[in-house]
Amino acid sequence: MNEDTKAEPIPALAEHWARKGVAEVEKMDATITLARQMIASGEIQWYAEGENPFEASPYPWEITEPRGDAPRRIFLGTVSDLATGSGHTVYFAAGLARDEDEFRRKLAAHIGHMFANGATVNAGLGGFPFSETFISTSLRKNMQKFDDGSKTPAEFFYLGQWHENRS
């Protein structure tokens, strides 16, 4: 590393390690020292593309690109989070997208990649789980217009959440 590429600390990581305590900071310091020795000795090789076991591979929907000429329409998605002792949460989303993958990317921004990947997703407003619970009559009418291509806004995304804990 030269003067032009001085490393800047990452405050969030520094706070994380500081909050774990002195012993953990010393363990991390020793680990970094060992990593520097390994680099200096030349005994390690850099990770090849996709080889790093600590780097999650993207879901297929995260790397596709929608056809630019595809019409935008309404997509609905739902996913449940069942956590023992924490209750049951149902997420329901509706939004404009050119395809299912684009909708999942929008959904991931709100509920995370893991839940977006596990969501049940369909194009259109027809008989979808939880749609009667989460979509009012007036919202449904507007979304039908969006799906038909009339009076479609530049962007539309709706997220509802139902949580219950019976413990």
Side-chain angles (χ1 to χ4, degrees), residues 107-120:
L107 184 58
H110 296 276
I111 65 171
H113 297 264
M114 185 181 74
F115 284 136
N117 189 63
T120 300

Side-chain angles (χ1 to χ4, degrees), residues 23-148:
E24 287 296 316
V25 171
E26 288 175 0
K27 190 186 301 182
M28 183 54 60
D29 189 44
T31 302
I32 296 297
T33 298
L34 177 59
R36 290 181 193 283
Q37 292 168 355
M38 294 169 96
I39 290 170
S41 73
E43 66 185 82
I44 59 108
Q45 292 187 12
W46 308 119
Y47 283 125
E49 182 71 30
E51 183 183 44
N52 185 343
F54 300 103
E55 203 171 84
S57 299
Y59 293 112
W61 53 264
E62 290 181 287
I63 55 177
T64 62
E65 291 196 24
R67 284 189 4 242
D69 62 343
R72 292 182 314 140
R73 58 177 312 194
I74 290 290
F75 281 82
L76 302 180
T78 187
V79 66
S80 289
D81 179 12
L82 293 164
T84 304
S86 297
H88 181 196
T89 303
V90 174
Y91 297 98
F92 179 88
L96 282 170
R98 295 187 190 285
D99 60 25
E100 181 180 318
D101 290 355
E102 181 182 30
F103 177 76
R104 284 186 192 277
R105 287 190 293 273
K106 290 179 179 188
L107 184 58
H110 296 276
I111 65 171
H113 297 264
M114 185 181 74
F115 284 136
N117 189 63
T120 300
V121 174
N122 277 351
L125 291 166
F128 193 75
F130 300 106
S131 65
E132 297 297 320
T133 301
F134 285 99
I135 303 174
S136 68
T137 303
S138 61
L139 180 56
R140 181 177 295 279
K141 286 178 185 175
N142 280 321
M143 287 194 314
Q144 187 62 55
K145 290 177 189 173
F146 301 166
D147 201 39
D148 294 341

Side-chain angles (χ1 to χ4, degrees), residues 4-19:
D4 295 335
T5 60
K6 261 192 184 166
E8 293 291 325
I10 302 169
L13 283 176
E15 180 180 336
H16 167 74
W17 287 107
R19 292 179 74 171

